[in-house]
Amino acid sequence: SQQGEEDPQALSIQEGENATMNCSYKTSINNLQWYRQNSGRGLVHLILIRSNEREKHSGRLRVTLDTSKKSSSLLITASRAADTASYFCAEGSQGNLIFGKGTKLSVKP
Amino acid sequence: KAGVTQTPRYLIKTRGQQVTLSCSPISGHRSVSWYQQTPGQGLQFLFEYFSETQRNKGNFPGRFSGRQFSNSRSEMNVSTLELGDSALYLCASSFSGISGNTIYFGEGSWLTVV
């Protein structure tokens, strides 16, 4: 079953623009992890945000978490063609990490 | 530090055959889990092992099984392959598997069943 739902399902932007992806989840969480997946490849871990954190940064990535709305967002600033990938949020522990369906981001040069 | 290593990367099997996939976790990680990714169902949890014991299991038939060795390396096996088993199988590792641990994934094994 899918815990999170990413929105939008697909996003197409020009290089240099910012990309925002949203993730909603149904039950209470301890933390949320964001991953990137290039076509046909494995998942690359981007950021883990804990339930007591509201915002976290890593390079050009900014993740926010609103537990009252059960939602999180991933912002990629100054996007590059190399950011083209699918992005997933995931909740849970190793014992059962539940993924959303992902947002497919296309960054055009 | 080497990442999660999965072998083989690509394989083609015939219906009815069985397949074994291998995963070497990051050094020091004791929790290993497996996921199946298909276009229709997305990413789905198969099972998790910790210290050679299956700790959690997803909703997959008994044809899917796994094990973990004393060095934390893990294998998963699918018997009596069906066409619907064609998927990307991803292995993930973390230090202890508890919530809050960062979970790292391998590049996956692409299985095609013909």
Side-chain angles (χ1 to χ4, degrees), chain B residues 11-12 26 32-34 52-53 56 58 62 64 74 77-81 89 92-94 101 114:
Chain B
L11 65 168
I12 300 174
I26 291 171
V32 174
S33 58
W34 291 87
E52 303 179 65
T53 301
N56 288 285
F64 292 81
S74 176
N77 182 275
V78 188
S79 62
T80 320
L81 284 165
Y89 290 88
S93 80
S94 69
N101 280 181
V114 297

Side-chain angles (χ1 to χ4, degrees), chain A residues 1 95-96, chain B residues 36 41 44-47 56-62 64:
Chain A
S1 63
N96 192 354
Chain B
Q36 181 197 65
Q41 298 299 317
Q44 292 188 292
F45 169 73
L46 281 157
F47 29 66
N56 288 285
K57 189 176 189 304
N59 189 26
F60 277 81
F64 292 81

Side-chain angles (χ1 to χ4, degrees), chain A residues 3-92:
Chain A
Q3 164 76 307
E5 291 292 332
E6 284 91 346
D7 169 54
Q9 291 188 349
L11 180 61
S12 183
I13 59 175
Q14 295 292 132
E15 231 177 7
E17 293 181 337
N18 295 342
T20 299
M21 288 157 269
N22 303 298
C23 164
S24 60
Y25 54 91
K26 297 184 177 70
T27 61
S28 61
I29 61 169
N30 293 318
N31 59 75
L32 201 75
Q33 307 199 49
W34 282 89
Y35 291 87
R36 183 186 77 231
Q37 184 178 38
N38 291 84
S39 182
R41 306 293 297 273
L43 297 172
V44 174
H45 186 267
L46 297 176
I47 288 182
L48 180 153
I49 186 164
R50 303 181 194 283
S51 60
N52 61 354
E53 296 174 314
R54 291 295 167 259
E55 190 170 305
K56 208 158 180 181
H57 296 253
S58 177
R60 294 183 296 113
L61 307 180
R62 179 171 76 103
V63 167
T64 61
L65 180 64
D66 186 336
T67 53
S68 66
K69 294 181 180 177
K70 291 187 169 57
S71 68
S72 175
S73 68
L74 169 66
L75 168 67
I76 304 174
T77 60
S79 64
R80 305 166 182 167
D83 295 328
T84 294
S86 291
Y87 292 82
F88 297 89
C89 66
E91 180 274 325

